[in-house]
Amino acid sequence: MCPWVRHARGASWDIRGFTRQVVWGSEQPCHHRAARPAGFDVEETGARGRVSLAAEGISRAMIPFHEFKGIEVSGRNVLGLVQAFGQFKSIASQILLAEGIGQKGPDGMVVVEPESWYPFDAFLRAFARASQHMGDSVLHQIGVSVMKNVEWLPSVKDIKTMMEGMDAGYHLHHRKNGRPMFDSTTGRIKEGIGHYRWKTRPDGAVEVESDNPYPCAFDKGMLFGGLRRLHAVGSIIHDDSHPCRKKGHSSCVYVVKA
């Protein structure tokens, strides 16, 4: 039986006994076989098959992300995921509740408190589910929505200061062992969730390298959301001359032109 393991920041699942592996949106066949996990409702669509969410959740063992145990993510980030689904909030609710994130409200929809903290490993599994169910477009929109919801550092006034504060802001919205991973008093950052690094290119564009565990499309959306929040006109380009997490690598590089 093919175990449910993390594979290149992706997930694996079974369609009528044939396991496929997902690397943040791209599918690759796996030459093992496994039983279908509880919680999936599978429907055949031609030769391939379509996976849809069951009403009461999906196997939590789908992607372990064990290395992030003890790390939590801000409720503001989680709200970004919910809002990105728009009129399909019921899907976001199923995804989050299946991972034990938030509470089910009277209407059956997930209730997330912006000032609360939620398990980071479960949140990453929710991203994998969102990728499977909706694709890169929703991951991009989650990034845009997160940048709208998170608390920015007071120093952020323009693109340059946004870049300067991006890594600190990222760590501020995650905490380890109950303490934020960025200490605004000392300026120290705790390791464990990767970084955003940036530099200015000779042509004036900003190059951003991201080696965090979030998916590629999310980070691209988050950078775009940053421009939107600053009311700046520009573009975000994935630099294909560098490695990409969608292809199983540990980082991605983006070019911000504004």
Side-chain angles (χ1 to χ4, degrees):
M1 181 176 291
C2 182
W4 293 93
V5 297
R6 182 182 177 196
H7 174 74
R9 300 194 187 282
S12 58
W13 82 94
D14 173 79
I15 299 178
R16 300 295 185 194
F18 180 71
T19 304
R20 299 189 69 82
Q21 295 178 331
V22 178
V23 184
W24 290 130
S26 62
E27 298 179 14
Q28 300 173 347
C30 171
H31 301 294
H32 303 282
R33 301 182 66 84
R36 186 170 72 237
F40 272 107
D41 173 29
V42 181
E43 301 173 2
E44 289 288 332
T45 304
R48 292 183 58 188
R50 180 166 64 85
V51 179
S52 60
L53 292 176
E56 288 302 323
I58 308 167
S59 172
R60 287 194 183 188
M62 200 169 116
I63 312 172
F65 292 112
H66 290 317
E67 64 266 45
F68 302 110
K69 286 289 186 183
I71 297 177
E72 297 169 298
V73 62
S74 166
R76 294 179 184 274
N77 293 51
V78 180
L79 278 176
L81 186 150
V82 175
Q83 294 175 4
F85 275 79
Q87 62 181 325
F88 300 105
K89 184 181 177 182
S90 60
I91 297 177
S93 295
Q94 291 179 47
I95 290 172
L96 292 172
L97 291 171
E99 291 297 343
I101 298 176
Q103 301 293 326
K104 182 182 287 189
D107 59 355
M109 299 297 177
V110 68
V111 176
V112 175
E113 298 296 336
E115 304 304 324
S116 294
W117 295 84
Y118 300 92
F120 189 37
D121 58 332
F123 191 48
L124 290 173
R125 289 194 297 270
F127 266 91
R129 296 175 191 277
S131 175
Q132 290 175 21
H133 200 63
M134 304 290 280
D136 278 358
S137 60
V138 74
L139 297 181
H140 182 278
Q141 189 56 40
I142 293 170
V144 174
S145 183
V146 164
M147 283 301 266
K148 181 180 178 181
N149 281 282
V150 295
E151 183 178 357
W152 280 25
L153 297 175
S155 59
V156 177
K157 306 294 182 183
D158 52 27
I159 294 175
K160 181 177 182 294
T161 51
M162 180 182 79
M163 292 295 107
E164 290 174 344
M166 192 164 187
D167 194 49
Y170 166 54
H171 284 81
L172 184 65
H173 287 84
H174 295 75
R175 68 181 190 179
K176 187 174 185 178
N177 299 324
R179 298 179 67 86
M181 298 183 73
F182 171 68
D183 187 329
S184 58
T185 303
T186 64
R188 295 184 63 181
I189 289 176
K190 292 182 181 179
E191 296 295 328
I193 57 173
H195 294 275
Y196 292 95
R197 299 178 176 89
W198 70 282
K199 66 181 180 180
T200 303
R201 289 187 169 185
D203 62 358
V206 174
E207 179 179 298
V208 182
E209 180 185 14
S210 172
D211 65 357
N212 64 59
Y214 285 102
C216 173
F218 167 81
D219 274 337
K220 187 176 180 181
M222 198 164 71
L223 289 167
F224 181 80
L227 293 184
R228 176 179 290 181
R229 184 160 169 174
L230 290 169
H231 304 290
V233 178
S235 62
I236 311 296
I237 302 169
H238 184 280
D239 190 338
D240 294 334
S241 68
H242 289 268
C244 177
R245 284 166 292 182
K246 194 171 180 179
K247 296 179 181 179
H249 297 280
S250 61
S251 64
C252 293
V253 172
Y254 310 89
V255 180
V256 181
K257 296 184 177 181

